[in-house]
Amino acid sequence: MASNAAVPFWRAAGMTYISYSNICASLVRNCLKEPHKTQSISREKVHFSISKWADGKAQNPNSCVSLAYLII
């Protein structure tokens, strides 16, 4: 059964909502004036560490990895 409801344009473009929101956030960050621009760009990075678990205990974590959101 086909629906006549409007499809969000990000879905019609073949994007996920996460990728759409990352693009929008990046555009907003780039429109800010200094010093707010550099502060917001520095907050977009994600830091995490990876640990292997054995016998219910975390082993030594690998070094902290820093990622920025990827816009494809």
Side-chain angles (χ1 to χ4, degrees):
M1 183 168 150
S3 173
N4 291 333
V7 176
F9 66 91
W10 51 267
R11 183 156 319 242
M15 301 172 69
T16 64
Y17 183 76
I18 296 295
S19 63
Y20 164 73
S21 63
N22 282 339
I23 290 171
C24 291
S26 177
L27 291 171
V28 170
R29 284 185 204 103
N30 288 330
C31 291
L32 294 173
K33 293 182 180 178
E34 292 298 337
H36 304 292
K37 183 176 184 175
T38 54
Q39 290 173 353
S40 66
I41 289 175
S42 68
R43 283 194 303 256
E44 80 177 315
K45 294 180 182 165
V46 177
H47 302 281
F48 64 94
S49 62
I50 300 172
S51 297
K52 291 191 178 188
W53 288 73
D55 299 324
K57 295 182 183 178
Q59 305 299 314
N60 293 336
N62 291 347
S63 61
C64 187
V65 178
S66 177
L67 296 176
Y69 291 106
L70 298 175
I71 299 175
I72 299 173

